[in-house]
Amino acid sequence: MEGEIATNTDPTGLWSLVVPLKPLARAKSRLTPTTGAELRPRLALAFARDTVAAALSCPSVLDVVVVTDDPEAGAALTAIGARVVPDEPDRGLNAALAHGERAVRAGRPRAAVAALNADLPALRPGELARVLDYSAEFPRAFVTDAAGIGTTFLSAAPGVKLRPAFGGPSRARHLDSGAVEIDLAGIDSVRQDVDTGDDLRAALALGVGVHTAGHWTAGASRAAGAPGRARGDEPSTAPAPDR
């Protein structure tokens, strides 16, 4: 039942993650003033590639299902190990997440499932592992974004529906739904999604993955100047090592 404490995850001890991604032509529109219209869709895909690569490197993750209708994104994310399913509902973010949850549990009905934003380019596998391990103690749990308003992660234990309520002030909606807010320290990379130029600067300061760092170095410095540092590098224009 929803109100009971979950004592374990899937029998394998691993999680399936569902990552939704808009068509690149429409993704991350609020970044345009910072990145320009040409770089923006390339960065949106780079964010997703770094997010999925980090998630697949996490020892607690069995697989990643990406829900997208974008053929370029689908091909790129399949190439790094994600399973891509089409956004057949085409009714927005939460419908896509529910569709991804069904795709996972069609093959593994007792899977532990978590929704993860596609725009976490600074994501660290170790921090994600801490979040997943903490989540295993509860039927549903979530991580609030760096702004303290939205949500970047939502988990559902085996036998529990995800019930996503992402978008806008989703922290309040997830709290109202009974999900437990994860208040761990040191999980900034799980919180730092990227919607605006300020968000991008914050992610770069944390240290982004190789795909985001490379695209930013190649294009954004000409548009706005590189505002931060790629992970593991001294100069802000050098790409971070892959993870």
Side-chain angles (χ1 to χ4, degrees):
M1 295 176 58
E2 175 82 10
E4 295 178 353
I5 297 296
T7 57
N8 64 332
T9 59
D10 184 71
T12 64
L14 300 176
W15 292 77
S16 290
L17 303 189
V18 178
V19 177
L21 182 60
K22 284 182 182 179
L24 298 177
R26 296 192 282 111
K28 298 295 152 196
S29 59
R30 291 164 63 193
L31 273 179
T32 303
T34 299
T35 66
E38 182 178 351
L39 179 59
R40 175 188 51 77
R42 296 202 299 270
L43 273 179
L45 178 54
F47 296 164
R49 292 174 75 186
D50 285 330
T51 299
V52 170
L56 287 169
S57 297
C58 176
S60 301
V61 172
L62 176 65
D63 56 5
V64 175
V65 172
V66 176
V67 183
T68 187
D69 279 336
D70 190 287
E72 180 185 359
L77 297 171
T78 297
I80 62 173
R83 173 189 170 196
V84 174
V85 299
D87 185 6
E88 292 175 351
D90 194 21
R91 295 195 304 271
L93 175 59
N94 293 306
L97 287 169
H99 177 57
E101 177 190 7
R102 289 191 295 271
V104 169
R105 287 178 166 163
R108 295 169 51 236
R110 293 289 298 170
V113 178
L116 187 70
N117 283 10
D119 58 349
L120 301 172
L123 184 65
R124 289 171 167 79
E127 293 184 15
L128 178 59
R130 291 182 60 215
V131 167
L132 290 168
D133 291 347
Y134 187 97
S135 299
E137 300 299 322
F138 304 96
R140 291 169 65 246
F142 73 98
V143 173
T144 303
D145 65 11
I149 298 171
T151 304
T152 61
F153 168 96
L154 174 69
S155 68
V160 178
K161 290 191 174 182
L162 192 60
R163 296 170 55 200
F166 284 75
S170 59
R171 174 181 180 268
R173 291 195 296 272
H174 285 132
L175 281 172
D176 289 345
S177 76
V180 173
E181 183 170 6
I182 298 172
D183 59 357
L184 294 171
I187 58 167
D188 292 348
S189 75
V190 188
R191 299 187 189 279
Q192 189 58 66
D193 56 353
V194 178
D195 289 315
T196 67
D198 286 344
D199 295 335
L200 178 57
R201 290 174 173 84
L204 288 165
L206 284 174
V208 296
V210 64
H211 302 294
T212 301
H215 280 289
W216 179 253
T217 300
S221 60
R222 293 193 298 271
R229 176 177 299 176
R231 183 183 315 165
D233 296 300
E234 288 302 319
S236 63
T237 55
D242 209 350
R243 293 158 294 176

Short mmCIF file of all heavy atoms in Angstrom, two decimals, residues 165-212:
data_model
loop_
_atom_site.label_atom_id
_atom_site.label_comp_id
_atom_site.label_asym_id
_atom_site.label_seq_id
_atom_site.Cartn_x
_atom_site.Cartn_y
_atom_site.Cartn_z
N ALA A 165 3.85 14.42 -11.00
CA ALA A 165 3.16 15.71 -11.05
C ALA A 165 4.17 16.81 -11.33
O ALA A 165 4.20 17.84 -10.68
CB ALA A 165 2.42 15.96 -9.74
N PHE A 166 5.03 16.57 -12.32
CA PHE A 166 6.09 17.51 -12.66
C PHE A 166 5.52 18.74 -13.36
O PHE A 166 4.42 18.74 -13.87
CB PHE A 166 7.10 16.83 -13.59
CG PHE A 166 8.04 15.87 -12.90
CD1 PHE A 166 7.60 14.63 -12.50
CD2 PHE A 166 9.36 16.22 -12.67
CE1 PHE A 166 8.45 13.73 -11.87
CE2 PHE A 166 10.22 15.33 -12.04
CZ PHE A 166 9.77 14.08 -11.64
N GLY A 167 6.36 19.79 -13.38
CA GLY A 167 5.99 21.03 -14.06
C GLY A 167 5.67 22.13 -13.08
O GLY A 167 4.86 21.95 -12.18
N GLY A 168 6.33 23.29 -13.24
CA GLY A 168 6.04 24.43 -12.37
C GLY A 168 6.34 24.10 -10.92
O GLY A 168 7.34 23.48 -10.59
N PRO A 169 5.45 24.53 -9.99
CA PRO A 169 5.68 24.31 -8.56
C PRO A 169 5.37 22.87 -8.14
O PRO A 169 4.49 22.61 -7.31
CB PRO A 169 4.73 25.32 -7.91
CG PRO A 169 3.60 25.44 -8.87
CD PRO A 169 4.22 25.31 -10.25
N SER A 170 6.09 21.93 -8.69
CA SER A 170 5.76 20.52 -8.48
C SER A 170 6.18 20.01 -7.10
O SER A 170 5.69 18.98 -6.65
CB SER A 170 6.41 19.66 -9.56
OG SER A 170 7.80 19.81 -9.57
N ARG A 171 7.09 20.71 -6.43
CA ARG A 171 7.44 20.29 -5.07
C ARG A 171 6.19 20.20 -4.19
O ARG A 171 5.97 19.21 -3.49
CB ARG A 171 8.44 21.27 -4.45
CG ARG A 171 8.75 20.96 -2.97
CD ARG A 171 9.73 21.97 -2.38
NE ARG A 171 10.01 21.66 -1.00
CZ ARG A 171 9.34 22.18 0.04
NH1 ARG A 171 8.34 23.04 -0.18
NH2 ARG A 171 9.65 21.84 1.28
N ALA A 172 5.37 21.24 -4.23
CA ALA A 172 4.16 21.25 -3.42
C ALA A 172 3.21 20.13 -3.80
O ALA A 172 2.61 19.48 -2.94
CB ALA A 172 3.46 22.61 -3.55
N ARG A 173 3.07 19.87 -5.09
CA ARG A 173 2.17 18.80 -5.53
C ARG A 173 2.67 17.43 -5.10
O ARG A 173 1.87 16.58 -4.68
CB ARG A 173 1.99 18.86 -7.05
CG ARG A 173 1.21 20.08 -7.52
CD ARG A 173 0.75 19.91 -8.97
NE ARG A 173 1.87 19.82 -9.89
CZ ARG A 173 2.45 20.87 -10.45
NH1 ARG A 173 2.04 22.10 -10.17
NH2 ARG A 173 3.45 20.71 -11.30
N HIS A 174 3.97 17.21 -5.18
CA HIS A 174 4.49 15.92 -4.76
C HIS A 174 4.38 15.73 -3.25
O HIS A 174 4.08 14.63 -2.77
CB HIS A 174 5.93 15.73 -5.25
CG HIS A 174 6.00 15.44 -6.72
ND1 HIS A 174 6.86 16.10 -7.58
CD2 HIS A 174 5.30 14.56 -7.49
CE1 HIS A 174 6.69 15.62 -8.80
NE2 HIS A 174 5.76 14.70 -8.77
N LEU A 175 4.60 16.80 -2.50
CA LEU A 175 4.37 16.72 -1.05
C LEU A 175 2.92 16.39 -0.75
O LEU A 175 2.61 15.52 0.07
CB LEU A 175 4.77 18.04 -0.38
CG LEU A 175 6.25 18.28 -0.12
CD1 LEU A 175 6.47 19.70 0.37
CD2 LEU A 175 6.79 17.28 0.90
N ASP A 176 2.01 17.08 -1.42
CA ASP A 176 0.58 16.85 -1.19
C ASP A 176 0.17 15.43 -1.56
O ASP A 176 -0.79 14.88 -1.01
CB ASP A 176 -0.25 17.85 -1.99
CG ASP A 176 -0.17 19.26 -1.43
OD1 ASP A 176 0.28 19.42 -0.27
OD2 ASP A 176 -0.55 20.21 -2.15
N SER A 177 0.88 14.82 -2.51
CA SER A 177 0.55 13.46 -2.94
C SER A 177 1.05 12.39 -1.98
O SER A 177 0.77 11.21 -2.17
CB SER A 177 1.13 13.21 -4.33
OG SER A 177 2.54 12.99 -4.26
N GLY A 178 1.82 12.79 -0.96
CA GLY A 178 2.32 11.84 0.02
C GLY A 178 3.75 11.40 -0.21
O GLY A 178 4.29 10.61 0.57
N ALA A 179 4.40 11.88 -1.27
CA ALA A 179 5.79 11.51 -1.51
C ALA A 179 6.69 12.18 -0.47
O ALA A 179 6.42 13.28 0.00
CB ALA A 179 6.22 11.94 -2.91
N VAL A 180 7.75 11.50 -0.09
CA VAL A 180 8.70 11.99 0.91
C VAL A 180 9.76 12.84 0.22
O VAL A 180 10.36 12.41 -0.76
CB VAL A 180 9.36 10.81 1.65
CG1 VAL A 180 10.48 11.30 2.57
CG2 VAL A 180 8.33 10.03 2.43
N GLU A 181 10.00 14.03 0.76
CA GLU A 181 11.04 14.87 0.20
C GLU A 181 12.41 14.42 0.70
O GLU A 181 12.61 14.24 1.90
CB GLU A 181 10.82 16.34 0.57
CG GLU A 181 11.83 17.27 -0.06
CD GLU A 181 11.47 18.74 0.13
OE1 GLU A 181 10.50 19.04 0.84
OE2 GLU A 181 12.18 19.58 -0.46
N ILE A 182 13.34 14.23 -0.22
CA ILE A 182 14.69 13.79 0.12
C ILE A 182 15.52 15.02 0.46
O ILE A 182 15.73 15.89 -0.38
CB ILE A 182 15.32 13.02 -1.05
CG1 ILE A 182 14.50 11.76 -1.35
CG2 ILE A 182 16.77 12.66 -0.76
CD1 ILE A 182 14.91 11.03 -2.60
N ASP A 183 15.99 15.08 1.72
CA ASP A 183 16.70 16.27 2.18
C ASP A 183 18.17 16.00 2.44
O ASP A 183 18.79 16.63 3.30
CB ASP A 183 16.03 16.84 3.43
CG ASP A 183 15.99 15.83 4.58
OD1 ASP A 183 16.44 14.67 4.37
OD2 ASP A 183 15.53 16.19 5.68
N LEU A 184 18.75 15.06 1.70
CA LEU A 184 20.17 14.75 1.86
C LEU A 184 21.04 15.94 1.48
O LEU A 184 20.74 16.68 0.54
CB LEU A 184 20.54 13.58 0.96
CG LEU A 184 19.93 12.21 1.27
CD1 LEU A 184 20.24 11.23 0.14
CD2 LEU A 184 20.45 11.68 2.60
N ALA A 185 22.14 16.11 2.21
CA ALA A 185 23.15 17.09 1.81
C ALA A 185 24.04 16.47 0.74
O ALA A 185 24.15 15.25 0.62
CB ALA A 185 23.97 17.51 3.02
N GLY A 186 24.67 17.33 -0.04
CA GLY A 186 25.66 16.85 -0.99
C GLY A 186 25.10 16.14 -2.20
O GLY A 186 25.74 15.25 -2.76
N ILE A 187 23.90 16.52 -2.63
CA ILE A 187 23.33 15.96 -3.85
C ILE A 187 23.00 17.08 -4.85
O ILE A 187 22.02 17.02 -5.58
CB ILE A 187 22.09 15.08 -3.57
CG1 ILE A 187 21.00 15.89 -2.85
CG2 ILE A 187 22.47 13.84 -2.78
CD1 ILE A 187 19.65 15.16 -2.82
N ASP A 188 23.86 18.09 -4.86
CA ASP A 188 23.60 19.26 -5.71
C ASP A 188 23.48 18.89 -7.18
O ASP A 188 22.72 19.51 -7.92
CB ASP A 188 24.72 20.29 -5.55
CG ASP A 188 24.73 20.94 -4.17
OD1 ASP A 188 23.74 20.76 -3.44
OD2 ASP A 188 25.72 21.61 -3.84
N SER A 189 24.23 17.87 -7.62
CA SER A 189 24.18 17.53 -9.04
C SER A 189 22.85 16.90 -9.43
O SER A 189 22.47 16.91 -10.61
CB SER A 189 25.32 16.58 -9.40
OG SER A 189 25.10 15.26 -8.94
N VAL A 190 22.13 16.35 -8.47
CA VAL A 190 20.80 15.79 -8.74
C VAL A 190 19.75 16.90 -8.74
O VAL A 190 18.69 16.76 -9.35
CB VAL A 190 20.44 14.70 -7.71
CG1 VAL A 190 19.15 13.98 -8.10
CG2 VAL A 190 21.58 13.68 -7.57
N ARG A 191 20.03 17.99 -8.08
CA ARG A 191 19.09 19.10 -7.98
C ARG A 191 19.20 20.10 -9.13
O ARG A 191 18.23 20.77 -9.48
CB ARG A 191 19.32 19.88 -6.67
CG ARG A 191 19.12 19.08 -5.41
CD ARG A 191 19.20 20.00 -4.18
NE ARG A 191 19.23 19.27 -2.95
CZ ARG A 191 18.16 18.76 -2.34
NH1 ARG A 191 16.96 18.92 -2.90
NH2 ARG A 191 18.26 18.10 -1.22
N GLN A 192 20.40 20.20 -9.72
CA GLN A 192 20.67 21.32 -10.63
C GLN A 192 20.22 21.03 -12.06
O GLN A 192 20.98 20.58 -12.90
CB GLN A 192 22.15 21.67 -10.60
CG GLN A 192 22.48 22.97 -11.35
CD GLN A 192 21.71 24.15 -10.82
OE1 GLN A 192 21.94 24.56 -9.69
NE2 GLN A 192 20.79 24.71 -11.61
N ASP A 193 18.93 21.28 -12.30
CA ASP A 193 18.44 21.22 -13.67
C ASP A 193 18.76 22.54 -14.37
O ASP A 193 19.21 23.50 -13.73
CB ASP A 193 16.95 20.89 -13.73
CG ASP A 193 16.09 21.86 -12.93
OD1 ASP A 193 16.64 22.72 -12.22
OD2 ASP A 193 14.86 21.75 -13.01
N VAL A 194 18.54 22.59 -15.67
CA VAL A 194 18.93 23.76 -16.45
C VAL A 194 17.76 24.22 -17.31
O VAL A 194 17.40 23.57 -18.29
CB VAL A 194 20.16 23.46 -17.34
CG1 VAL A 194 20.51 24.69 -18.17
CG2 VAL A 194 21.35 23.05 -16.49
N ASP A 195 17.19 25.36 -16.94
CA ASP A 195 16.13 25.99 -17.72
C ASP A 195 16.53 27.37 -18.21
O ASP A 195 16.03 27.83 -19.23
CB ASP A 195 14.85 26.11 -16.89
CG ASP A 195 14.19 24.77 -16.64
OD1 ASP A 195 14.07 23.97 -17.59
OD2 ASP A 195 13.80 24.51 -15.49
N THR A 196 17.40 28.05 -17.46
CA THR A 196 17.75 29.43 -17.76
C THR A 196 19.27 29.58 -17.84
O THR A 196 20.02 28.67 -17.48
CB THR A 196 17.21 30.37 -16.66
OG1 THR A 196 17.92 30.08 -15.43
CG2 THR A 196 15.72 30.18 -16.45
N GLY A 197 19.70 30.77 -18.26
CA GLY A 197 21.12 31.05 -18.29
C GLY A 197 21.76 30.94 -16.91
O GLY A 197 22.87 30.44 -16.77
N ASP A 198 21.07 31.42 -15.87
CA ASP A 198 21.61 31.29 -14.52
C ASP A 198 21.76 29.83 -14.12
O ASP A 198 22.73 29.46 -13.45
CB ASP A 198 20.70 32.01 -13.52
CG ASP A 198 20.83 33.53 -13.61
OD1 ASP A 198 21.82 34.01 -14.20
OD2 ASP A 198 19.94 34.22 -13.08
N ASP A 199 20.79 29.00 -14.50
CA ASP A 199 20.90 27.57 -14.21
C ASP A 199 22.11 26.97 -14.91
O ASP A 199 22.82 26.14 -14.33
CB ASP A 199 19.64 26.82 -14.69
CG ASP A 199 18.38 27.22 -13.95
OD1 ASP A 199 18.48 27.68 -12.80
OD2 ASP A 199 17.29 27.04 -14.54
N LEU A 200 22.34 27.37 -16.15
CA LEU A 200 23.48 26.85 -16.89
C LEU A 200 24.78 27.23 -16.21
O LEU A 200 25.71 26.42 -16.09
CB LEU A 200 23.44 27.35 -18.33
CG LEU A 200 24.60 26.93 -19.23
CD1 LEU A 200 24.73 25.41 -19.29
CD2 LEU A 200 24.42 27.50 -20.63
N ARG A 201 24.86 28.47 -15.75
CA ARG A 201 26.06 28.92 -15.05
C ARG A 201 26.28 28.10 -13.78
O ARG A 201 27.41 27.72 -13.45
CB ARG A 201 25.96 30.41 -14.74
CG ARG A 201 26.07 31.29 -15.97
CD ARG A 201 25.83 32.75 -15.65
NE ARG A 201 26.09 33.59 -16.81
CZ ARG A 201 25.23 33.83 -17.78
NH1 ARG A 201 24.01 33.31 -17.72
NH2 ARG A 201 25.55 34.58 -18.81
N ALA A 202 25.20 27.82 -13.06
CA ALA A 202 25.32 27.02 -11.84
C ALA A 202 25.77 25.60 -12.15
O ALA A 202 26.61 25.02 -11.43
CB ALA A 202 23.99 27.01 -11.10
N ALA A 203 25.25 25.01 -13.22
CA ALA A 203 25.66 23.65 -13.60
C ALA A 203 27.13 23.63 -14.00
O ALA A 203 27.88 22.72 -13.63
CB ALA A 203 24.78 23.13 -14.73
N LEU A 204 27.55 24.62 -14.78
CA LEU A 204 28.95 24.68 -15.19
C LEU A 204 29.87 24.84 -13.99
O LEU A 204 30.98 24.29 -13.96
CB LEU A 204 29.15 25.83 -16.18
CG LEU A 204 28.57 25.59 -17.59
CD1 LEU A 204 28.50 26.90 -18.35
CD2 LEU A 204 29.40 24.56 -18.35
N ALA A 205 29.42 25.59 -12.99
CA ALA A 205 30.23 25.75 -11.77
C ALA A 205 30.36 24.43 -11.02
O ALA A 205 31.41 24.15 -10.42
CB ALA A 205 29.59 26.81 -10.87
N LEU A 206 29.32 23.59 -11.05
CA LEU A 206 29.41 22.27 -10.43
C LEU A 206 30.35 21.36 -11.20
O LEU A 206 31.04 20.51 -10.63
CB LEU A 206 28.02 21.62 -10.37
CG LEU A 206 27.04 22.11 -9.32
CD1 LEU A 206 25.68 21.45 -9.52
CD2 LEU A 206 27.56 21.85 -7.92
N GLY A 207 30.37 21.52 -12.52
CA GLY A 207 31.17 20.67 -13.39
C GLY A 207 30.28 19.78 -14.22
O GLY A 207 29.65 18.85 -13.70
N VAL A 208 30.18 20.04 -15.49
CA VAL A 208 29.26 19.31 -16.37
C VAL A 208 29.98 18.17 -17.07
O VAL A 208 31.21 18.07 -17.06
CB VAL A 208 28.63 20.26 -17.41
CG1 VAL A 208 27.76 21.30 -16.71
CG2 VAL A 208 29.70 20.93 -18.27
N GLY A 209 29.20 17.31 -17.71
CA GLY A 209 29.75 16.20 -18.46
C GLY A 209 30.37 16.64 -19.77
O GLY A 209 30.27 17.80 -20.20
N VAL A 210 30.99 15.68 -20.43
CA VAL A 210 31.81 15.98 -21.60
C VAL A 210 30.99 16.53 -22.76
O VAL A 210 31.47 17.39 -23.52
CB VAL A 210 32.59 14.71 -22.03
CG1 VAL A 210 31.67 13.59 -22.47
CG2 VAL A 210 33.60 15.03 -23.11
N HIS A 211 29.74 16.08 -22.93
CA HIS A 211 28.95 16.53 -24.07
C HIS A 211 28.54 18.00 -23.91
O HIS A 211 28.68 18.80 -24.84
CB HIS A 211 27.72 15.64 -24.24
CG HIS A 211 28.06 14.20 -24.44
ND1 HIS A 211 28.72 13.74 -25.55
CD2 HIS A 211 27.86 13.12 -23.64
CE1 HIS A 211 28.90 12.43 -25.45
NE2 HIS A 211 28.40 12.04 -24.30
N THR A 212 28.06 18.34 -22.72
CA THR A 212 27.69 19.73 -22.47
C THR A 212 28.90 20.64 -22.55
O THR A 212 28.86 21.72 -23.17
CB THR A 212 27.01 19.86 -21.10
OG1 THR A 212 25.85 19.03 -21.07
CG2 THR A 212 26.62 21.30 -20.81
#
